[in-house]
Amino acid sequence: MAETRSVAEPYRDARQQRDAAMLGMYVFLGSEIMLFGGLFAVAAVMRLLHPAEVVEASKALHVWIGAVNTAVLLTSSLFVALAVDCAKGGRRRGTGAWLFSAASLGAVFLAIKVYEYSLEHAEGLLPGLGAPLKVSTPVQRAFMDLYLVATGLHALHLLIGILLLLVIAIRAASGRLLLPERAIVPVTAGLYWHLVDVIWVFLYPILYLAR
Amino acid sequence: MTALQERPEQADRHDRGLSETDTERQSYLRAGHSLGSWFFTRDHKRIAILYLFAITAFFMIGGAAAALMRLDLLTSAGDLLTNEGYNRAFTIHGVIMVWFFLIPSIPNTFGNFLVPLMIGARDLAFPRLNLLSWYIFVLAGGFTLFVLIAGGVDTGWTFYTPLSSMFSHGNVVLAAVAVFIAGFSSILTGLNFIVTVHKLRCPGMTWDRLPLFVWAIYATSLILVLATPVLSITLVLIAAERLFGLGIFDPKLGGDPLLYQHLFWFYSHPAVYIMVLPALGVVSELVAAAARKPVFGYKFVAGSSIAIAVIGFFVWGHHMFVAGQSMYASAVFSFLSLAVAVPSGIKVYNWAATLYKGHISLDPPFLYGMTFIGLFVVGGLTGLMLAMLAVDVHVHDTYFVVAHFHYIMVGGTVSAFFGALHYWWPKIVGRTYPLVWGRLAAIFIFLGFNLTFFPQFLLGYLGMPRRYHVYAPEFQMLHVLSSAGASLLGLAYLMPLVYLTWSMRYGAPAGDNPWDATGLEWTTPSPPPKHNFDEIPVVDRPPYDYEIEMEGEDG
Amino acid sequence: MQKTVSFVFVWFALVLLLAATVTASFMLKGPAGLAVSLGIAFGKSGLIYWHYMHLNEEEGLQRIAALGAGAWLLILFAFVCADYLTR
């Protein structure tokens, strides 16, 4: 019974502890969905009130950069899924390597995002920096405000995810994280990563592809 | 009160309970004496005590702000506070009382203490998260106090746009950050309870054997987790507008300030049920213990908690009846708001039916329970009036609304909080308090409360708007009555502080089950040991299985 | 090994769906375009939830917990949109 070692105080057995961790993470992710849900509601209302202007504003965004970034995130999710599979099989090196790759792709996403922001700044589309804006309608300005808040909040979540994956990658590779007994750690961190991916899956069509 | 445990030295008549009992030596209270053993504890019972200290402090700060307001309202001119000062006082009162007293009050103290005990668990599912949640809460609270000292906020606790985003001079951003941080504490606490109730029930503790308090805390937790994040993002948007000019609610940019109200009340109306549902759960326990009968319609009382939590998400638009919302939306929201009365009514009727032919004991907890029921009914019925479109137009934003929600929040939740405190105090500290003083405090709270807030119904109906401190002279009489009641209420609230503190040292040891009540928490020693149960209990009986007394057997 | 293969297949499907949504955005406009792009987004997140987020291995309770918040958001959307559409 290698598993009894990792059962903590309020739990009777490893199965109960694992179920509680999974349920807790799903509930937490539910609260994340509600957090971004408020922003999606704002986007819905904006489109309801000003359909034509929102489409115009959306066309000014860089569709292809967004598409590439979506692909980067989807691929990182694949890597996390593979890492979790390794962790469950007790393969320490594989876990570390896949998690590290996923975190690197997260960093690539952020780098592309920063490049995109700088393009938009040069085009006079990015609010909040004090520079004079070259927006054609007030609604475009409001749309870009929403774009900045939504993508910024998403980027912040991604940054947290990158740090999380890196820490777990190092702990897994170095053997400080017992695998497969404590596979729940990469599993729950992976859930978080996938959710950040899912949020982007919705942000991308709503912000970039409004036509 | 029956079954008092004897003093440690039974023969020593001078021993006023000063010496420790054996149970106390092994209890969670004596498991470590250092500050670190408290501030780094993962024991849900100790964390509950930490919360109790924190929210008592916030209750006093919020109460002090209320006292300032009531003092200023004694005269129709604004003599005591400036206009700005008065705005800041009611903002302090609202923000502190809502987020730092009412929302955490019962769940984070009694929920923390009792949920594991009631379901036969050794702790909550995530003990470290529980402690983290307390630190986040205290950090947010400290931050709020800092904001208050560094200039204050004048928007009211609702932070309505465009006042908050474009016109207010106060520290709106900092206040928003403080409430945002407090939200994390709410979410983590709710998450912890949800997982605990699902995964840590002891063998035999099926859902239809769960104490009604646990049902209520579970329903509350669902709201905490689902509603709080929407408030968080709304506050982020307010802060973004003030800091970076990102005008998402700005009408100049085609935004809509009403959208703010939609998002805000999507959280804040369910938040009302965060505040009152745990109180409903407490009262169910108090009523059953006082009547010494199984709860009438247990399944309906349990289900009505869930129903209130769910329907509570469908009614927020009744805060926007006169704000320019679509009249069709208003009509639907009006109907749904009336529907919340059904599960609330189920609870009140079932309590009444539980008490019917019960062998009722008038101990302090039940006096608070009765206070709750009476005031909750008044608050609930006036809530129905406010849910009706035509009536609401007349009394919207008047003292009628203020009186209504204080009947629910203060008359209801705070009374239930004190009821819980008096009912479980012997379990928490292991000592009993003087019952006479408990009864007196309950009666004074009831009288003081009604004297404070009943005149406000009249004021509001006559047209006194809320949030004004300069008013027409004909309202003065009623304002003076209200302020007089507030002084009585304030003193009554201080009474338990004195005799409960006294009881910790001089009270008689309580014994495991001083009220002779059912429930797993009463099977443990008072105060319970660090790990609650030596062996995880097995439940084989229905909840509240009091023996029903037959006619003629007893009086 | 079998899992690895299925994970890669899911990834392939996700990338195809991404290509589909971008293509659709050039062809469809207005409500139809919105419906298709949101439909594809739900399809993609369904794949991620089911395969990458382990919902295929979990029990009912965990599935409800994972998807409940998404359903709950519909309350916010339905009533807010109803208000704006009937003003």
Tab-separated table of all heavy atoms in Angstrom, chain A residues 9-12 16 19-20 23-24 27-28 31 34-35 38-39 42 45 50 128 138-139 141-142 145-146 149 153, chain B residues 122 124-126 187 191 195 198-201 225-226 229-230 232-233 244-248 252-254 259 266 531:
chain	number	residue	atom	x	y	z
A	9	GLU	N	-4.883	14.387	6.653
A	9	GLU	CA	-5.710	14.311	7.860
A	9	GLU	C	-7.205	14.010	7.705
A	9	GLU	O	-7.649	12.989	8.204
A	9	GLU	CB	-5.526	15.588	8.689
A	9	GLU	CG	-6.578	15.853	9.742
A	9	GLU	CD	-6.736	14.743	10.769
A	9	GLU	OE1	-5.831	13.887	10.908
A	9	GLU	OE2	-7.788	14.713	11.397
A	10	PRO	N	-7.999	14.852	7.042
A	10	PRO	CA	-9.430	14.547	7.197
A	10	PRO	C	-9.900	13.343	6.387
A	10	PRO	O	-11.064	12.998	6.465
A	10	PRO	CB	-10.121	15.832	6.728
A	10	PRO	CG	-9.141	16.513	5.862
A	10	PRO	CD	-7.784	16.032	6.226
A	11	TYR	N	-9.030	12.709	5.626
A	11	TYR	CA	-9.502	11.676	4.705
A	11	TYR	C	-9.323	10.272	5.257
A	11	TYR	O	-8.402	10.010	6.019
A	11	TYR	CB	-8.783	11.803	3.364
A	11	TYR	CG	-9.047	13.129	2.726
A	11	TYR	CD1	-8.079	14.135	2.742
A	11	TYR	CD2	-10.284	13.408	2.159
A	11	TYR	CE1	-8.345	15.368	2.189
A	11	TYR	CE2	-10.555	14.631	1.616
A	11	TYR	CZ	-9.585	15.608	1.629
A	11	TYR	OH	-9.858	16.834	1.097
A	12	ARG	N	-10.227	9.391	4.801
A	12	ARG	CA	-10.155	8.001	5.235
A	12	ARG	C	-9.259	7.183	4.315
A	12	ARG	O	-8.578	6.280	4.740
A	12	ARG	CB	-11.550	7.389	5.276
A	12	ARG	CG	-12.417	7.953	6.373
A	12	ARG	CD	-13.692	7.148	6.551
A	12	ARG	NE	-14.601	7.313	5.448
A	12	ARG	CZ	-15.522	8.288	5.371
A	12	ARG	NH1	-15.624	9.172	6.345
A	12	ARG	NH2	-16.325	8.382	4.347
A	16	GLN	N	-10.881	8.743	-1.561
A	16	GLN	CA	-11.679	9.863	-1.082
A	16	GLN	C	-10.917	11.171	-1.256
A	16	GLN	O	-11.471	12.179	-1.698
A	16	GLN	CB	-11.999	9.633	0.403
A	16	GLN	CG	-13.013	10.600	0.977
A	16	GLN	CD	-13.120	10.474	2.479
A	16	GLN	OE1	-12.150	10.141	3.169
A	16	GLN	NE2	-14.297	10.734	3.007
A	19	ASP	N	-10.869	12.151	-4.960
A	19	ASP	CA	-12.167	12.652	-5.406
A	19	ASP	C	-12.407	14.070	-4.907
A	19	ASP	O	-12.928	14.921	-5.636
A	19	ASP	CB	-13.290	11.739	-4.895
A	19	ASP	CG	-13.404	10.483	-5.730
A	19	ASP	OD1	-12.647	10.382	-6.714
A	19	ASP	OD2	-14.222	9.621	-5.390
A	20	ALA	N	-12.028	14.314	-3.645
A	20	ALA	CA	-12.237	15.641	-3.083
A	20	ALA	C	-11.423	16.678	-3.850
A	20	ALA	O	-11.908	17.765	-4.165
A	20	ALA	CB	-11.871	15.662	-1.607
A	23	LEU	N	-13.072	17.261	-7.268
A	23	LEU	CA	-14.303	18.030	-7.133
A	23	LEU	C	-13.981	19.484	-6.796
A	23	LEU	O	-14.548	20.420	-7.378
A	23	LEU	CB	-15.187	17.416	-6.039
A	23	LEU	CG	-16.534	18.108	-5.842
A	23	LEU	CD1	-17.383	18.005	-7.086
A	23	LEU	CD2	-17.275	17.511	-4.649
A	24	GLY	N	-13.037	19.672	-5.865
A	24	GLY	CA	-12.665	21.032	-5.485
A	24	GLY	C	-12.169	21.822	-6.668
A	24	GLY	O	-12.540	22.984	-6.867
A	27	VAL	N	-15.011	22.743	-9.020
A	27	VAL	CA	-15.827	23.831	-8.469
A	27	VAL	C	-15.094	25.159	-8.608
A	27	VAL	O	-15.676	26.177	-8.995
A	27	VAL	CB	-16.172	23.547	-6.989
A	27	VAL	CG1	-16.833	24.755	-6.349
A	27	VAL	CG2	-17.096	22.345	-6.883
A	28	PHE	N	-13.778	25.137	-8.332
A	28	PHE	CA	-13.003	26.363	-8.489
A	28	PHE	C	-13.051	26.844	-9.929
A	28	PHE	O	-13.231	28.037	-10.197
A	28	PHE	CB	-11.553	26.132	-8.052
A	28	PHE	CG	-10.679	27.321	-8.305
A	28	PHE	CD1	-10.785	28.449	-7.522
A	28	PHE	CD2	-9.769	27.324	-9.358
A	28	PHE	CE1	-10.011	29.562	-7.768
A	28	PHE	CE2	-8.980	28.438	-9.605
A	28	PHE	CZ	-9.101	29.552	-8.802
A	31	SER	N	-16.045	28.712	-10.685
A	31	SER	CA	-16.015	30.121	-10.294
A	31	SER	C	-15.234	30.948	-11.312
A	31	SER	O	-15.565	32.102	-11.565
A	31	SER	CB	-15.444	30.283	-8.883
A	31	SER	OG	-14.046	30.205	-8.905
A	34	MET	N	-17.568	31.740	-14.097
A	34	MET	CA	-18.457	32.848	-13.760
A	34	MET	C	-17.710	34.177	-13.857
A	34	MET	O	-18.285	35.196	-14.236
A	34	MET	CB	-19.020	32.686	-12.347
A	34	MET	CG	-19.880	31.467	-12.119
A	34	MET	SD	-21.254	31.262	-13.274
A	34	MET	CE	-22.396	32.505	-12.746
A	35	LEU	N	-16.422	34.172	-13.481
A	35	LEU	CA	-15.632	35.409	-13.549
A	35	LEU	C	-15.574	35.918	-14.982
A	35	LEU	O	-15.921	37.073	-15.271
A	35	LEU	CB	-14.220	35.131	-13.028
A	35	LEU	CG	-13.280	36.329	-12.979
A	35	LEU	CD1	-13.557	37.157	-11.743
A	35	LEU	CD2	-11.826	35.898	-12.983
A	38	GLY	N	-18.961	37.244	-16.694
A	38	GLY	CA	-19.348	38.650	-16.624
A	38	GLY	C	-18.860	39.405	-17.843
A	38	GLY	O	-19.592	40.211	-18.442
A	39	LEU	N	-17.607	39.123	-18.258
A	39	LEU	CA	-17.063	39.797	-19.439
A	39	LEU	C	-17.803	39.372	-20.701
A	39	LEU	O	-18.073	40.190	-21.583
A	39	LEU	CB	-15.575	39.473	-19.586
A	39	LEU	CG	-14.661	40.151	-18.580
A	39	LEU	CD1	-13.230	39.693	-18.789
A	39	LEU	CD2	-14.754	41.659	-18.710
A	42	VAL	N	-20.905	41.293	-20.949
A	42	VAL	CA	-20.653	42.643	-21.462
A	42	VAL	C	-20.521	42.605	-22.983
A	42	VAL	O	-21.100	43.433	-23.702
A	42	VAL	CB	-19.382	43.235	-20.830
A	42	VAL	CG1	-19.003	44.543	-21.504
A	42	VAL	CG2	-19.575	43.448	-19.346
A	45	VAL	N	-23.948	42.192	-24.611
A	45	VAL	CA	-24.754	43.422	-24.586
A	45	VAL	C	-24.215	44.419	-25.598
A	45	VAL	O	-24.970	45.071	-26.325
A	45	VAL	CB	-24.755	44.014	-23.162
A	45	VAL	CG1	-25.341	45.418	-23.170
A	45	VAL	CG2	-25.538	43.115	-22.229
A	50	HIS	N	-25.017	47.561	-30.375
A	50	HIS	CA	-24.351	48.191	-31.515
A	50	HIS	C	-23.779	47.135	-32.455
A	50	HIS	O	-22.556	47.003	-32.563
A	50	HIS	CB	-23.195	49.099	-31.045
A	50	HIS	CG	-23.543	49.949	-29.867
A	50	HIS	ND1	-24.288	51.095	-29.974
A	50	HIS	CD2	-23.254	49.812	-28.553
A	50	HIS	CE1	-24.444	51.634	-28.778
A	50	HIS	NE2	-23.829	50.874	-27.898
A	128	GLY	N	-5.804	53.082	-22.886
A	128	GLY	CA	-5.247	52.889	-21.553
A	128	GLY	C	-3.806	53.306	-21.406
A	128	GLY	O	-3.265	53.281	-20.310
A	138	PRO	N	-17.104	55.791	-31.215
A	138	PRO	CA	-16.979	55.591	-29.764
A	138	PRO	C	-17.120	54.119	-29.385
A	138	PRO	O	-16.437	53.640	-28.474
A	138	PRO	CB	-18.134	56.408	-29.183
A	138	PRO	CG	-18.522	57.372	-30.230
A	138	PRO	CD	-18.163	56.762	-31.547
A	139	VAL	N	-17.989	53.391	-30.107
A	139	VAL	CA	-18.180	51.984	-29.759
A	139	VAL	C	-16.898	51.194	-29.980
A	139	VAL	O	-16.569	50.278	-29.226
A	139	VAL	CB	-19.348	51.379	-30.561
A	139	VAL	CG1	-19.459	49.887	-30.299
A	139	VAL	CG2	-20.642	52.073	-30.214
A	141	ARG	N	-13.995	52.266	-29.500
A	141	ARG	CA	-13.203	52.515	-28.300
A	141	ARG	C	-13.660	51.595	-27.164
A	141	ARG	O	-12.848	50.937	-26.508
A	141	ARG	CB	-13.359	53.986	-27.910
A	141	ARG	CG	-12.878	54.357	-26.532
A	141	ARG	CD	-11.375	54.211	-26.404
A	141	ARG	NE	-10.985	53.971	-25.034
A	141	ARG	CZ	-10.713	54.934	-24.156
A	141	ARG	NH1	-10.776	56.195	-24.513
A	141	ARG	NH2	-10.352	54.628	-22.922
A	142	ALA	N	-14.984	51.521	-26.950
A	142	ALA	CA	-15.506	50.656	-25.882
A	142	ALA	C	-15.130	49.194	-26.148
A	142	ALA	O	-14.768	48.444	-25.230
A	142	ALA	CB	-17.020	50.802	-25.772
A	145	ASP	N	-11.652	48.648	-25.256
A	145	ASP	CA	-11.542	48.591	-23.793
A	145	ASP	C	-11.835	47.176	-23.304
A	145	ASP	O	-11.088	46.605	-22.502
A	145	ASP	CB	-12.547	49.561	-23.147
A	145	ASP	CG	-12.153	51.017	-23.340
A	145	ASP	OD1	-11.013	51.258	-23.778
A	145	ASP	OD2	-12.983	51.889	-23.054
A	146	LEU	N	-12.930	46.624	-23.815
A	146	LEU	CA	-13.312	45.269	-23.414
A	146	LEU	C	-12.244	44.268	-23.839
A	146	LEU	O	-11.856	43.375	-23.075
A	146	LEU	CB	-14.662	44.900	-24.033
A	146	LEU	CG	-15.117	43.459	-23.795
A	146	LEU	CD1	-15.408	43.236	-22.318
A	146	LEU	CD2	-16.346	43.134	-24.622
A	149	VAL	N	-9.302	44.451	-21.439
A	149	VAL	CA	-9.577	43.855	-20.127
A	149	VAL	C	-9.643	42.327	-20.247
A	149	VAL	O	-9.029	41.596	-19.458
A	149	VAL	CB	-10.901	44.397	-19.536
A	149	VAL	CG1	-11.246	43.645	-18.259
A	149	VAL	CG2	-10.780	45.880	-19.250
A	153	LEU	N	-6.877	39.942	-18.664
A	153	LEU	CA	-7.212	39.033	-17.570
A	153	LEU	C	-6.859	37.593	-17.943
A	153	LEU	O	-6.349	36.824	-17.122
A	153	LEU	CB	-8.708	39.139	-17.255
A	153	LEU	CG	-9.175	38.456	-15.980
A	153	LEU	CD1	-8.545	39.121	-14.767
A	153	LEU	CD2	-10.684	38.497	-15.862
B	122	ARG	N	-13.395	14.786	10.515
B	122	ARG	CA	-12.358	15.301	11.411
B	122	ARG	C	-12.002	16.739	11.085
B	122	ARG	O	-11.417	17.450	11.893
B	122	ARG	CB	-11.102	14.437	11.309
B	122	ARG	CG	-11.342	13.045	11.862
B	122	ARG	CD	-10.181	12.596	12.737
B	122	ARG	NE	-10.617	11.571	13.666
B	122	ARG	CZ	-10.452	10.271	13.466
B	122	ARG	NH1	-9.864	9.851	12.381
B	122	ARG	NH2	-10.871	9.410	14.366
B	124	LEU	N	-12.542	20.089	7.681
B	124	LEU	CA	-13.033	20.385	6.340
B	124	LEU	C	-12.139	19.682	5.323
B	124	LEU	O	-11.043	19.233	5.645
B	124	LEU	CB	-13.018	21.895	6.088
B	124	LEU	CG	-14.075	22.708	6.840
B	124	LEU	CD1	-13.905	24.182	6.522
B	124	LEU	CD2	-15.479	22.269	6.473
B	125	ALA	N	-12.593	19.646	4.069
B	125	ALA	CA	-11.849	18.907	3.054
B	125	ALA	C	-10.460	19.492	2.830
B	125	ALA	O	-9.501	18.757	2.607
B	125	ALA	CB	-12.633	18.897	1.748
B	126	PHE	N	-10.354	20.837	2.873
B	126	PHE	CA	-9.067	21.468	2.597
B	126	PHE	C	-8.702	22.398	3.763
B	126	PHE	O	-8.947	23.602	3.705
B	126	PHE	CB	-9.130	22.261	1.294
B	126	PHE	CG	-9.643	21.446	0.134
B	126	PHE	CD1	-10.854	21.750	-0.461
B	126	PHE	CD2	-8.917	20.381	-0.356
B	126	PHE	CE1	-11.329	20.995	-1.523
B	126	PHE	CE2	-9.383	19.625	-1.417
B	126	PHE	CZ	-10.594	19.929	-2.003
B	187	ILE	N	-15.154	32.653	-1.978
B	187	ILE	CA	-15.157	31.548	-2.940
B	187	ILE	C	-14.474	30.326	-2.337
B	187	ILE	O	-14.979	29.203	-2.417
B	187	ILE	CB	-14.460	31.975	-4.245
B	187	ILE	CG1	-15.288	33.048	-4.949
B	187	ILE	CG2	-14.249	30.785	-5.159
B	187	ILE	CD1	-14.589	33.696	-6.116
B	191	LEU	N	-16.244	26.768	-1.625
B	191	LEU	CA	-15.691	25.562	-2.267
B	191	LEU	C	-15.392	24.486	-1.228
B	191	LEU	O	-15.736	23.319	-1.394
B	191	LEU	CB	-14.425	25.999	-2.990
B	191	LEU	CG	-13.623	25.055	-3.858
B	191	LEU	CD1	-12.789	25.903	-4.800
B	191	LEU	CD2	-12.696	24.172	-3.069
B	195	VAL	N	-17.209	20.705	-1.109
B	195	VAL	CA	-16.469	19.444	-1.201
B	195	VAL	C	-16.606	18.653	0.104
B	195	VAL	O	-16.761	17.423	0.087
B	195	VAL	CB	-14.991	19.710	-1.544
B	195	VAL	CG1	-14.213	18.408	-1.554
B	195	VAL	CG2	-14.885	20.413	-2.882
B	198	HIS	N	-19.968	16.940	0.266
B	198	HIS	CA	-20.084	15.842	-0.682
B	198	HIS	C	-19.215	14.650	-0.296
B	198	HIS	O	-19.630	13.507	-0.409
B	198	HIS	CB	-19.681	16.299	-2.090
B	198	HIS	CG	-20.828	16.868	-2.865
B	198	HIS	ND1	-21.886	16.112	-3.279
B	198	HIS	CD2	-21.088	18.133	-3.270
B	198	HIS	CE1	-22.750	16.884	-3.929
B	198	HIS	NE2	-22.295	18.113	-3.932
B	199	LYS	N	-17.999	14.917	0.146
B	199	LYS	CA	-17.020	13.837	0.223
B	199	LYS	C	-16.702	13.352	1.638
B	199	LYS	O	-16.108	12.298	1.788
B	199	LYS	CB	-15.712	14.279	-0.449
B	199	LYS	CG	-15.859	14.551	-1.945
B	199	LYS	CD	-16.196	13.284	-2.700
B	199	LYS	CE	-16.385	13.555	-4.181
B	199	LYS	NZ	-17.069	12.435	-4.857
B	200	LEU	N	-17.033	14.116	2.665
B	200	LEU	CA	-16.536	13.742	3.990
B	200	LEU	C	-17.628	13.325	4.965
B	200	LEU	O	-17.382	13.243	6.168
B	200	LEU	CB	-15.713	14.889	4.592
B	200	LEU	CG	-14.340	15.105	3.962
B	200	LEU	CD1	-13.585	16.193	4.697
B	200	LEU	CD2	-13.520	13.834	3.967
B	201	ARG	N	-18.841	13.079	4.478
B	201	ARG	CA	-19.877	12.623	5.402
B	201	ARG	C	-19.508	11.239	5.938
B	201	ARG	O	-18.958	10.413	5.208
B	201	ARG	CB	-21.222	12.577	4.684
B	201	ARG	CG	-21.865	13.951	4.547
B	201	ARG	CD	-23.068	13.928	3.644
B	201	ARG	NE	-22.672	13.725	2.256
B	201	ARG	CZ	-23.166	12.790	1.464
B	201	ARG	NH1	-24.076	11.955	1.918
B	201	ARG	NH2	-22.749	12.675	0.224
B	225	VAL	N	-19.973	30.386	-4.481
B	225	VAL	CA	-19.076	30.017	-5.567
B	225	VAL	C	-19.575	30.551	-6.912
B	225	VAL	O	-18.787	30.968	-7.757
B	225	VAL	CB	-18.919	28.481	-5.612
B	225	VAL	CG1	-18.241	28.051	-6.884
B	225	VAL	CG2	-18.126	28.016	-4.413
B	226	LEU	N	-20.892	30.571	-7.107
B	226	LEU	CA	-21.418	30.934	-8.421
B	226	LEU	C	-21.616	32.441	-8.592
B	226	LEU	O	-21.567	32.942	-9.713
B	226	LEU	CB	-22.750	30.216	-8.667
B	226	LEU	CG	-22.627	28.710	-8.897
B	226	LEU	CD1	-23.986	28.049	-8.861
B	226	LEU	CD2	-21.957	28.430	-10.233
B	229	PRO	N	-17.803	35.485	-8.169
B	229	PRO	CA	-16.900	35.879	-9.259
B	229	PRO	C	-17.494	36.968	-10.156
B	229	PRO	O	-16.740	37.777	-10.706
B	229	PRO	CB	-16.712	34.581	-10.055
B	229	PRO	CG	-17.071	33.495	-9.124
B	229	PRO	CD	-18.095	34.040	-8.207
B	230	VAL	N	-18.812	36.993	-10.293
B	230	VAL	CA	-19.413	38.026	-11.150
B	230	VAL	C	-19.224	39.400	-10.518
B	230	VAL	O	-18.958	40.386	-11.205
B	230	VAL	CB	-20.904	37.720	-11.398
B	230	VAL	CG1	-21.531	38.793	-12.251
B	230	VAL	CG2	-21.045	36.367	-12.065
B	232	SER	N	-16.672	40.102	-8.633
B	232	SER	CA	-15.241	40.378	-8.788
B	232	SER	C	-14.974	41.037	-10.128
B	232	SER	O	-14.302	42.067	-10.202
B	232	SER	CB	-14.435	39.086	-8.692
B	232	SER	OG	-14.750	38.402	-7.509
B	233	ILE	N	-15.506	40.459	-11.206
B	233	ILE	CA	-15.208	41.000	-12.523
B	233	ILE	C	-15.834	42.381	-12.685
B	233	ILE	O	-15.254	43.271	-13.313
B	233	ILE	CB	-15.662	40.030	-13.644
B	233	ILE	CG1	-15.083	40.447	-14.988
B	233	ILE	CG2	-17.151	39.963	-13.766
B	233	ILE	CD1	-13.610	40.313	-15.084
B	244	PHE	N	-7.631	53.469	-15.761
B	244	PHE	CA	-7.099	53.569	-17.119
B	244	PHE	C	-8.082	54.180	-18.091
B	244	PHE	O	-7.819	54.224	-19.292
B	244	PHE	CB	-6.696	52.175	-17.618
B	244	PHE	CG	-5.765	51.453	-16.694
B	244	PHE	CD1	-6.175	50.338	-16.002
B	244	PHE	CD2	-4.467	51.913	-16.505
B	244	PHE	CE1	-5.320	49.682	-15.142
B	244	PHE	CE2	-3.615	51.267	-15.649
B	244	PHE	CZ	-4.035	50.143	-14.958
B	245	GLY	N	-9.240	54.621	-17.603
B	245	GLY	CA	-10.220	55.200	-18.509
B	245	GLY	C	-10.822	54.196	-19.464
B	245	GLY	O	-11.246	54.549	-20.567
B	246	LEU	N	-10.859	52.909	-19.080
B	246	LEU	CA	-11.473	51.902	-19.945
B	246	LEU	C	-12.985	51.925	-19.705
B	246	LEU	O	-13.501	51.256	-18.824
B	246	LEU	CB	-10.906	50.518	-19.646
B	246	LEU	CG	-9.393	50.397	-19.792
B	246	LEU	CD1	-8.936	48.980	-19.499
B	246	LEU	CD2	-8.970	50.796	-21.188
B	247	GLY	N	-13.698	52.724	-20.508
B	247	GLY	CA	-15.083	53.045	-20.178
B	247	GLY	C	-16.103	52.050	-20.681
B	247	GLY	O	-16.872	52.317	-21.596
B	248	ILE	N	-16.161	50.896	-20.059
B	248	ILE	CA	-17.092	49.884	-20.542
B	248	ILE	C	-18.537	50.240	-20.204
B	248	ILE	O	-19.446	49.912	-20.945
B	248	ILE	CB	-16.665	48.516	-19.990
B	248	ILE	CG1	-15.477	48.044	-20.830
B	248	ILE	CG2	-17.800	47.513	-20.058
B	248	ILE	CD1	-14.709	46.934	-20.277
B	252	LYS	N	-20.998	57.689	-23.019
B	252	LYS	CA	-20.378	58.415	-24.135
B	252	LYS	C	-19.835	57.447	-25.186
B	252	LYS	O	-19.754	57.762	-26.358
B	252	LYS	CB	-19.214	59.273	-23.628
B	252	LYS	CG	-19.617	60.606	-23.054
B	252	LYS	CD	-18.518	61.646	-23.218
B	252	LYS	CE	-17.197	61.247	-22.593
B	252	LYS	NZ	-17.207	61.330	-21.106
B	253	LEU	N	-19.422	56.264	-24.745
B	253	LEU	CA	-18.845	55.281	-25.669
B	253	LEU	C	-19.877	54.244	-26.088
B	253	LEU	O	-19.540	53.187	-26.618
B	253	LEU	CB	-17.655	54.571	-25.022
B	253	LEU	CG	-16.523	55.463	-24.547
B	253	LEU	CD1	-15.406	54.631	-23.952
B	253	LEU	CD2	-15.989	56.309	-25.683
B	254	GLY	N	-21.142	54.518	-25.820
B	254	GLY	CA	-22.164	53.542	-26.175
B	254	GLY	C	-22.340	52.471	-25.126
B	254	GLY	O	-23.049	51.498	-25.345
B	259	LEU	N	-26.007	48.217	-17.267
B	259	LEU	CA	-25.343	46.919	-17.346
B	259	LEU	C	-24.577	46.658	-16.058
B	259	LEU	O	-24.516	45.529	-15.569
B	259	LEU	CB	-24.416	46.879	-18.554
B	259	LEU	CG	-23.655	45.580	-18.767
B	259	LEU	CD1	-24.596	44.403	-18.895
B	259	LEU	CD2	-22.774	45.681	-20.006
B	266	PHE	N	-26.680	40.689	-10.033
B	266	PHE	CA	-26.595	39.244	-10.265
B	266	PHE	C	-25.812	38.595	-9.124
B	266	PHE	O	-26.055	37.452	-8.756
B	266	PHE	CB	-25.910	38.935	-11.595
B	266	PHE	CG	-25.835	37.452	-11.893
B	266	PHE	CD1	-26.922	36.787	-12.414
B	266	PHE	CD2	-24.679	36.721	-11.642
B	266	PHE	CE1	-26.872	35.425	-12.661
B	266	PHE	CE2	-24.615	35.363	-11.889
B	266	PHE	CZ	-25.723	34.717	-12.412
B	531	HIS	N	-9.352	16.372	17.213
B	531	HIS	CA	-9.759	15.625	16.017
B	531	HIS	C	-11.224	15.232	16.046
B	531	HIS	O	-11.639	14.330	15.322
B	531	HIS	CB	-8.863	14.400	15.839
B	531	HIS	CG	-7.448	14.786	15.549
B	531	HIS	ND1	-7.090	15.340	14.346
B	531	HIS	CD2	-6.340	14.773	16.305
B	531	HIS	CE1	-5.806	15.632	14.371
B	531	HIS	NE2	-5.322	15.296	15.545
